[in-house]
Amino acid sequence: MSRRSSGIGVLAVAVFGCLYFLLSIGAAVSAHGVDRADVLAFTNAFLAEAARQGGNRAAALREVNDVLSPTAISTRKLGQGAKMPAMMPNVIPLFLQDRQFTSTLVLVNASAVSTYADVGFTAREGTHIATQRVQFTPHSQQSIDVAAVLSSAASTATSGSISIMVSPGVQPSSIAAQLSMTYSGGPDPNYIDEELEMPSMNTSSILRGVAERSNGSPIIGITSLSDSSQTVAINCLENNGPGTSKSVSLLAGETLFTQACNAKTAYGSDLETAMLGNDSAMQNSVGISLTSTAQPGEFVAFGLAPQGDSDHRYFSGITFTDPKTLMSPNTTFTGVPMGRSVLLPDGNYVPELALANFSPKPARVRVKYAATSGTSPAMLDEGSLIVPGNSTRWVRLDQVRPLDSIQNSFIVESDGAPGDLIAKMVSAGNSQLREIELPAKDERDVNNSGAHPWSLASDNQSTLLLFNHGDKANYVNVVISAGSATWERAFRLASMQTMALSIRQVIHSGIKGDKGETLPTNAVVGMAEWFPGHSGGVAGRMLVSNRALAMARNFSCAQYEYLCAADFSAFNNVIIDGQVVDFGSLVATICLGYSPCDKGGTPEYQGGTGYSYYWSSANTNIISISKVNSDGSVNTLGVAPGSTTVSGEVDDGTCDAEGGGPGYVFRITSISPATFIIGTSGTLQINGGGLSGKGTPNVVFDGAGISVSGVTVQNDSTVTANYSVSCSASVSQVQLQFPSDDNVATNTLGVGIGLPSAPAPTISFGGNNVTGTTQSVVVGQQIALTANVPSLPPCMSLSSQDWSTPPGTAIGGYTNKAGSGIPDTTGGVVQSLPANNTGSYTFYWAYPQNSMQMTYQYVMSGAGGQVSSPIPTVTFNVSGPTGGTVPVTAYSKLTIANLSACVINGQNEPAMPWLVYGNITGSCSIYSGTPGIEFDSPTGYSNDSGGNFLTVQLINTDDVSGSYNHNDVPGLDTSYPYGQYFPTTDNPMVGLLSSNTTINRSFNATMFLMWQSTAPNSIPVPLGYQTWGFQGSANCSANCGSASNWTASTSGTPGTVGGFVPSNPSQNSVGNNTLVYGYPTWSGVSQ
Amino acid sequence: MRTALIFAIVGSIACSGLARASTQSGPPFKVVIMAPTKKIFAGAPLELKVRLTNTSNQDINASASYFRGLDASYKYEVRDSAGAPVAPIPQETARPPVGQGRIRTLSPGQSVDEVIVITSGYRLAPGTYTIQLSRPVSASPNSPVVQSNKVNITVVAPR
């Protein structure tokens, strides 16, 4: 999915001065429907193969030209699969290695692959000296000492040319090179930099150069790349117009020295000889034009402009340019030292500009100064001048006020055609370093990047200088290599901004790259590469300087790099519905090559900043693009479950590349069960969407205690699994996690841990489950309830249980004092209700009442919580005798009874008179007669079946006075019960001793009627009571041993005191005795 | 008054019946005692449940006469483990006997239960005792008696 078609079309390549120029000749060749880049590649391969086979190079070239003829092109289509054949060698036009010059070839491998280059040395006369293979690791530099090569080859050559053939399969532009020459003939070393040139037949046969003020005619070395002779016309332009013109003959492969601006040519001579007689006193800039009779690309040249006088001789280099390779009439100069600089020997540096107008028409030239202070650029117009046709001009820009010592760049604009005006700039110093040559770059140079060696050896400084002469800000990606270490950083350069990056500072200050990396502090040499994010508009070079050695060299090899591929890295391609994620990123691959956007280029670098990115979704109903980030990543929104493809495109302004991948949207919406009961196991089901196609997920809880097995993706919307919940489980969320997809996880769902329900208990009564029933019982019946608690769920234990408090009047029992048995002489006690927190509960209802409801509940605990059970209920209807009374018959008086002897408590009691309430005869132990009071069988009671009446009597008062005094304490009369049969009687009596004369007795008691069910374990309940009593006395005046001498008297009416009182729960006393819920109680026998 | 006459008539009949029963067909009643608790702590009350059953074919006098917890209609024989009789708690001679009675008659075959607190008249030190009750057939001083069964009681020292 290409966003647009190639914007470049068909290009051909011409390379000069370490520059790989891409010329648009699309209009010329597109009609032929052939890829001219492939044609060029084919041509180069053809030539190389011819050379390897020892064939005639010129003949081969002619054959190629035939191939390139329109007719040939139209009939020879190159298939799209044509491979890039080997290229022509790159060339250093001139090396000098003699008493005054030394040369070192510095090469860099800008590619990301290991490769090699065969470096061939050719002597001035065209003979082969040696070939040396140089191996490169990716992004590395190598250097070759020319003297050593010559020595090793036992060559006496002092000059010649150097060819560099890059290994097949690698773009020739991957290897850049520069010859660093040093002239030692003067008092101070003179550094001359000569760039690598790549000849091409698709250029012209013209080369142009300009020298600043030359002290004498410039000396040029012309090297033939042809296998046959050629004639080169040399024309000099001077300040006042055309100067010397001449022609020289150049043999095949020869390097010829000649004085460019005079007639002298010493064929076959070395440099020293060629320079003899150079007495022209040129004081202005010199333009030099070379026009060969050979085919384009069959000759190269480099020149030296003598400077200074004979005692202070030094040279500046003259680089020749094929005007056909220039894309604009404007020239840029990057990083011009101005004023004083710590990078250079102490002195004042002033830019000087040499201009040569090779057109017959005058050229209007404007000089612009792009000054950068810090990171803030400013464009200053430094004026304009007219360069007459076929003339030169020299300008010293000493009026320019620099804002920085090095962050200075210039643009020289001309209104002529590209190649008409050739400009050269140097920064002239008043120090040992007399001038620094500044490489000129075509403003529209399609070589958009650079690869330069750097060195910190011998206290060198290496400063990367970059100039954004485009009209927009641009990112420049800088990659600094040192051995295997790499430092990468993108710098944003504003329009017209010049940036100086000190390699030493990067290393020694530990400046971090964009990924936080640093370079090793012991790094000494390496290479630096740069390329803009948006192709074009940036120029750069490496300034290697040494203040102490008064050295400054420039490395400015430019290359064409382009975006050739993009790698997609998925970050989060599985998206939760409704969530925005960082989906992935496109990483650009930068290649070296000839043809823009050629996917077959040599990879140089992956990454970079400053590109444009475009992202799209194949189905925005599933995934939509949320945000495109400047770093190549994209944020996407999961719209709905499903899958689709997300594609991206990265664009550097010229080329684009695509990448992308599938995206999945999922979501989980519900889980069943949502609450996991501890101690249980089962099958869970998670519902959602987009769950299939990602392997088997893990069901992940955020806490411990739930184990899961057998996870199965049933379909796109359902996942099931077996689960088991431990007693200590503690979770609150669950999600699905897909191990086969980088453990991407879904959204979370809230879940809970629950306690199991408490099984319903039941209530048993009499061995039967009576839950929910109504039971009929009677008063005093033992209500013994038992709770039946089913087996509790796992993890749970019984923590508490409770019975409801019985309604009505319920008691825990009616016992003796110790509570160990029925009431007795030790006491009659109403027991409180028992504790109601056990599994059984026993009590008694004392009074009849219906709808008496009893409930039970237990609480079970586990996992930090507790659960209350359901509450079973049983209802009791309590019946009992009601509504009756006890008939009472009371004797009317006290009498004197003459009873015979008896034994009382083991003691013989003689016959004696007795004061008796009633009228009796017999002995004192066995008698008969009329009792004082008689309680007959109860009458009128309903519901009295199923039980028996009984009586209990409490003595309220029993005071005896007169001849004997004794007051009984209240309490139980005799024993419990008083009687169980009716009638039951009482006839209180007191023996009248012969010594007595008066006995008074006041007696008051309460007889209680009680009823006890025949049901097992029943207790009596009170039904009512009758208080009765008497008062009277016995008196005797003499012979009191005889009953006849005693007289009984009765006070008041003996017998009942009040009526029969039915019992009720509120009764709490009678006489001096205490009642509890109407029950008679005592703590001992009255006595 | 009418009730008193009835008691007098019944009592007369009973006495004559008893005499016949004692001479013609054995005792007119039987006495069975039972100790609800065979072992008590010293100082705790010892209650005996006494069941008097009319085994004759006529009414009998089943009156009771309680003096300080003991029914004087019975005689008590309390012996220690050596067979020695245990003396009753001495009574204050100057104190007139104060009691109460229950006049009742048992029909043939009828029974009456009562509770007698032995420890009201006997102080039982720790040891083993045999208790037997007897009841005179009539109020006559020379009346034959009917003996109950014996029960053994152990009195232990309180803890």
Side-chain angles (χ1 to χ4, degrees):
Chain A
M1 183 188 66
S2 178
R3 195 172 50 79
R4 63 162 196 278
S5 60
S6 169
I8 296 300
V10 181
L11 301 174
V13 179
V15 181
F16 280 88
C18 193
L19 307 180
Y20 301 76
F21 291 113
L22 307 176
L23 299 181
S24 175
I25 55 174
V29 298
S30 61
H32 304 295
V34 65
D35 187 330
R36 289 297 300 269
D38 285 345
V39 171
L40 175 63
F42 171 78
T43 302
N44 289 331
F46 184 90
L47 293 174
E49 184 60 26
R52 275 197 301 277
Q53 295 178 5
N56 186 291
R57 183 180 176 90
L61 187 60
R62 282 193 294 275
E63 190 172 336
V64 168
N65 288 336
D66 290 341
V67 170
L68 284 175
S69 69
T71 302
I73 291 175
S74 64
T75 57
R76 182 169 179 171
K77 298 276 284 186
L78 295 179
Q80 293 182 340
K83 295 181 180 179
M84 173 68 73
M87 297 293 182
M88 290 178 68
N90 302 330
V91 179
I92 295 290
L94 174 66
F95 76 80
L96 296 171
Q97 185 66 44
D98 56 19
R99 291 184 300 112
Q100 295 179 320
F101 287 90
T102 59
S103 294
T104 300
L105 182 66
V106 181
L107 305 100
V108 295
N109 173 22
S111 76
V113 299
S114 294
T115 185
Y116 66 88
D118 289 329
V119 180
F121 293 83
T122 302
R124 186 177 65 250
E125 64 275 17
T127 57
H128 178 72
I129 300 173
T131 296
Q132 185 167 329
R133 176 161 292 187
V134 183
Q135 300 285 350
F136 295 93
T137 59
H139 305 291
S140 63
Q141 70 151 295
Q142 298 283 7
S143 62
I144 298 175
D145 183 359
V146 174
V149 173
L150 298 179
S151 173
S152 176
S155 172
T156 59
T158 58
S159 59
S161 63
I162 303 172
S163 64
I164 299 172
M165 180 67 81
V166 178
S167 67
V170 176
Q171 294 289 346
S173 59
S174 300
I175 304 297
Q178 177 172 302
L179 187 69
S180 296
M181 292 187 287
T182 304
Y183 172 69
S184 305
D188 297 308
N190 172 204
Y191 303 101
I192 305 163
D193 303 318
E194 181 182 357
E195 295 181 342
L196 181 71
E197 295 183 0
M198 185 172 180
S200 169
M201 66 174 214
N202 291 307
T203 56
S204 70
S205 297
I206 300 173
L207 297 175
R208 291 171 179 169
V210 62
E212 67 274 33
R213 293 177 300 173
S214 178
N215 191 5
S217 172
I219 308 299
I220 57 175
I222 306 171
T223 296
S224 168
L225 301 179
S226 173
D227 292 330
S228 59
S229 299
Q230 58 184 293
T231 299
V232 178
I234 303 172
N235 296 297
C236 276
L237 302 180
E238 298 182 15
N239 184 49
N240 52 0
T244 305
S245 295
K246 69 176 182 180
S247 294
V248 295
S249 296
L250 189 61
L251 299 177
E254 177 187 14
T255 297
L256 174 66
F257 289 111
T258 183
Q259 294 184 18
C261 296
N262 62 36
K264 293 181 180 177
T265 300
Y267 287 100
S269 66
D270 59 13
L271 178 63
E272 288 188 41
T273 304
M275 290 178 62
L276 295 175
N278 187 4
D279 53 0
S280 72
M282 308 181 104
Q283 292 299 320
N284 212 320
S285 55
V286 178
I288 304 170
S289 173
L290 307 177
T291 304
S292 172
T293 58
Q295 295 296 321
E298 288 194 333
F299 78 112
V300 292
F302 184 76
L304 298 172
Q307 305 290 342
D309 55 27
S310 58
D311 295 331
H312 299 84
R313 175 73 67 190
Y314 67 96
F315 295 91
S316 61
I318 303 172
T319 298
F320 285 89
T321 301
D322 184 340
K324 191 175 180 180
T325 64
L326 297 177
M327 304 297 292
S328 80
N330 303 329
T331 307
T332 64
F333 298 93
T334 299
V336 179
M338 296 174 70
R340 299 180 183 277
S341 173
V342 295
L343 299 174
L344 304 171
D346 191 23
N348 185 42
Y349 296 89
V350 177
E352 296 177 351
L353 181 62
L355 302 167
N357 179 10
F358 292 92
S359 167
K361 296 186 298 183
R364 181 178 297 276
V365 177
R366 181 172 296 278
V367 179
K368 293 182 176 179
Y369 168 41
T372 300
S373 176
T375 57
S376 300
M379 175 56 76
L380 305 175
D381 190 346
E382 295 299 333
S384 61
L385 71 159
I386 300 294
V387 181
N390 294 319
S391 300
T392 65
R393 287 291 184 269
W394 176 84
V395 180
R396 179 176 171 86
L397 302 173
D398 51 3
Q399 298 304 310
V400 177
R401 295 291 174 261
L403 300 182
D404 189 272
S405 62
I406 192 70
Q407 293 186 143
N408 310 298
S409 297
F410 285 85
I411 301 175
V412 177
E413 297 178 346
S414 168
D415 62 353
D420 285 354
L421 182 76
I422 302 297
K424 178 184 181 182
M425 181 173 279
V426 299
S427 184
N430 55 0
S431 68
Q432 289 176 289
L433 186 60
R434 286 149 297 196
E435 67 178 35
I436 305 158
E437 296 190 64
L438 302 169
K441 298 294 180 184
D442 182 3
E443 188 185 36
R444 294 182 59 193
D445 189 355
V446 294
N447 293 287
N448 56 3
S449 62
H452 320 298
W454 59 265
S455 171
L456 301 182
S458 305
D459 292 331
N460 284 349
Q461 295 284 351
S462 289
T463 306
L464 178 63
L465 299 162
L466 298 168
F467 173 41
N468 176 16
H469 52 80
D471 56 1
K472 295 180 180 177
N474 202 348
Y475 278 93
V476 180
N477 300 285
V478 175
V479 182
I480 301 174
S481 303
S484 59
T486 300
W487 182 92
E488 304 172 11
R489 191 160 175 178
F491 295 91
R492 184 182 186 278
L493 267 63
S495 174
M496 298 301 148
Q497 180 181 347
T498 302
M499 185 190 82
L501 178 65
S502 167
I503 306 296
R504 181 178 292 279
Q505 189 175 6
V506 167
I507 293 175
H508 292 170
S509 297
I511 296 174
K512 293 182 179 179
D514 285 338
K515 298 174 183 176
E517 74 279 13
T518 58
L519 290 172
T521 55
N522 60 354
V524 176
V525 295
M527 67 173 296
E529 298 160 271
W530 58 268
F531 60 94
H534 212 77
S535 183
V538 178
R541 67 184 174 96
M542 179 69 72
L543 170 63
V544 178
S545 59
N546 192 305
R547 187 182 175 97
L549 299 177
M551 183 271 282
R553 290 193 185 278
N554 291 300
F555 297 89
S556 60
C557 285
Q559 298 151 308
Y560 178 66
E561 297 179 356
Y562 60 93
L563 194 157
C564 57
D567 286 342
F568 171 71
S569 297
F571 301 154
N572 300 288
N573 67 334
V574 181
I575 313 168
I576 298 172
D577 181 12
Q579 193 175 72
V580 174
V581 300
D582 192 356
F583 183 84
S585 178
L586 279 183
V587 178
T589 297
I590 303 301
C591 287
L592 293 160
Y594 291 107
S595 301
C597 316
D598 177 17
K599 306 303 181 188
T602 300
E604 187 214 7
Y605 179 74
Q606 270 201 318
T609 299
Y611 313 115
S612 298
Y613 295 92
Y614 306 90
W615 287 92
S616 62
S617 168
N619 188 340
T620 55
N621 291 325
I622 296 175
I623 297 175
S624 65
I625 304 302
S626 176
K627 181 183 179 185
V628 176
N629 301 303
S630 61
D631 63 354
S633 64
V634 61
N635 297 343
T636 58
L637 169 66
V639 178
S643 63
T644 188
T645 300
V646 175
S647 301
E649 179 181 310
V650 55
D651 189 330
D652 71 350
T654 301
C655 305
D656 57 53
E658 300 169 0
Y664 307 92
V665 180
F666 60 12
R667 166 167 285 279
I668 57 176
T669 55
S670 65
I671 181 173
S672 176
T675 299
F676 290 86
I677 306 301
I678 62 169
T680 64
S681 60
T683 300
L684 63 82
Q685 177 171 316
I686 296 176
N687 302 310
L691 303 180
S692 61
K694 292 178 282 298
T696 302
N698 292 328
V699 179
V700 180
F701 291 91
D702 65 340
I706 297 182
S707 59
V708 175
S709 63
V711 180
T712 303
V713 179
Q714 300 290 353
N715 50 52
D716 195 56
S717 60
T718 304
V719 171
T720 61
N722 301 319
Y723 71 88
S724 179
V725 188
S726 73
C727 296
S728 59
S730 176
V731 301
S732 61
Q733 289 184 331
V734 67
Q735 63 183 165
L736 294 178
Q737 188 181 63
F738 294 86
S740 62
D741 212 336
D742 293 334
N743 283 325
V744 64
T746 67
N747 56 306
T748 59
L749 291 175
V751 294
I753 292 295
L755 301 178
S757 299
T762 59
I763 298 175
S764 288
F765 174 58
N768 300 314
N769 178 7
V770 295
T771 304
T773 67
T774 298
Q775 298 292 309
S776 295
V777 297
V778 297
V779 290
Q781 181 176 345
Q782 185 182 56
I783 309 299
L785 303 179
T786 301
N788 303 304
V789 178
S791 296
L792 297 182
C795 311
M796 303 303 290
S797 61
L798 188 71
S799 58
S800 67
Q801 50 189 334
D802 288 289
W803 293 90
S804 62
T805 299
T809 303
I811 62 174
Y814 188 46
T815 67
N816 58 13
K817 180 180 180 181
S820 57
I822 63 173
D824 58 22
T825 54
T826 62
V829 178
V830 174
Q831 296 292 337
S832 300
L833 289 169
N836 66 342
N837 57 356
T838 64
S840 60
Y841 196 47
T842 300
F843 62 95
Y844 308 84
W845 271 295
Y847 294 92
Q849 192 171 348
N850 287 333
S851 302
M852 313 289 264
Q853 197 172 66
M854 286 297 297
T855 63
Y856 168 83
Q857 187 177 35
Y858 71 85
V859 176
M860 62 180 189
S861 300
Q866 57 184 26
V867 180
S868 298
S869 73
I871 301 175
T873 300
V874 59
T875 303
F876 291 92
N877 289 334
V878 184
S879 64
T882 57
T885 188
V886 176
V888 181
T889 301
Y891 197 64
S892 60
K893 62 181 179 182
L894 280 68
T895 64
I896 301 298
N898 186 23
L899 300 179
S900 59
C902 67
V903 177
I904 298 176
N905 292 352
Q907 183 173 324
N908 291 323
E909 294 291 346
M912 70 174 86
W914 296 74
L915 176 63
V916 179
Y917 176 46
N919 186 14
I920 61 174
T921 61
S923 71
C924 60
S925 59
I926 297 177
Y927 47 80
S928 60
T930 303
I933 195 162
E934 177 179 303
F935 299 90
D936 290 331
S937 295
T939 60
Y941 280 97
S942 59
N943 300 319
D944 60 345
S945 61
N948 299 302
F949 293 103
L950 66 149
T951 54
V952 175
Q953 183 160 274
L954 300 181
I955 304 297
N956 297 314
T957 59
D958 186 7
D959 298 335
V960 177
S961 61
S963 301
Y964 172 75
N965 293 287
H966 176 75
N967 297 331
D968 272 2
V969 296
L972 180 67
D973 185 3
T974 309
S975 62
Y976 170 89
Y978 184 87
Q980 295 171 287
Y981 307 95
F982 295 91
T984 186
T985 65
D986 197 357
N987 48 284
M989 49 199 283
V990 56
L992 303 173
L993 302 180
S994 58
S995 59
N996 298 153
T997 57
T998 299
I999 293 295
N1000 305 310
R1001 190 170 189 186
S1002 176
F1003 182 91
N1004 185 278
T1006 299
M1007 182 67 77
F1008 289 83
L1009 177 66
M1010 305 187 79
W1011 183 86
Q1012 183 170 6
S1013 167
T1014 55
N1017 303 314
S1018 294
I1019 62 171
V1021 296
L1023 298 179
Y1025 62 82
Q1026 177 65 61
T1027 300
W1028 62 278
F1030 63 87
Q1031 282 186 317
S1033 62
N1035 294 286
C1036 172
S1037 58
N1039 298 321
C1040 294
S1042 172
S1044 59
N1045 294 327
W1046 288 86
T1047 301
S1049 59
T1050 304
S1051 299
T1053 302
T1056 57
V1057 179
F1060 182 78
V1061 179
S1063 296
N1064 67 67
S1066 61
Q1067 294 168 344
N1068 54 22
S1069 69
V1070 62
N1072 295 324
N1073 287 287
T1074 299
L1075 306 183
V1076 176
Y1077 300 134
Y1079 269 88
T1081 65
W1082 62 91
S1083 58
V1085 176
S1086 173
Q1087 53 186 345
Chain B
M1 180 62 71
R2 189 166 60 89
T3 304
L5 288 173
I6 293 173
F7 266 95
I9 294 169
V10 171
S12 169
I13 294 172
C15 291
S16 61
L18 285 171
R20 273 200 308 274
S22 63
T23 57
Q24 296 176 359
S25 57
F29 57 83
K30 66 178 181 181
V31 178
V32 176
I33 63 173
M34 182 187 67
T37 302
K38 299 294 186 183
K39 181 186 289 185
I40 64 170
F41 290 109
L46 172 61
E47 292 186 346
L48 289 182
K49 180 177 284 187
V50 181
R51 173 167 291 179
L52 172 63
T53 304
N54 181 358
T55 57
S56 71
N57 53 9
Q58 53 191 311
D59 292 347
I60 63 170
N61 185 345
S63 64
S65 182
Y66 295 98
F67 293 89
R68 291 183 292 278
L70 289 181
D71 183 356
S73 62
Y74 292 97
K75 293 180 180 176
Y76 303 89
E77 187 174 275
V78 181
R79 294 181 182 274
D80 61 18
S81 58
V86 177
I89 299 172
Q91 300 299 310
E92 183 183 350
T93 56
R95 176 183 178 181
V98 177
Q100 58 188 117
R102 299 176 197 178
I103 298 171
R104 58 195 178 200
T105 301
L106 288 181
S107 300
Q110 190 177 11
S111 297
V112 64
D113 292 342
E114 63 179 311
V115 176
I116 295 173
V117 184
I118 297 297
T119 47
S120 296
Y122 295 87
R123 185 174 291 113
L124 300 180
T128 301
Y129 299 91
T130 300
I131 301 173
Q132 187 176 37
L133 274 60
S134 61
R135 180 180 177 93
V137 173
S138 70
S140 170
N142 297 319
S143 169
V145 299
V146 176
Q147 292 183 318
S148 75
N149 59 310
K150 296 178 181 177
V151 294
N152 294 320
I153 298 296
T154 299
V155 178
V156 298
R159 287 176 292 183

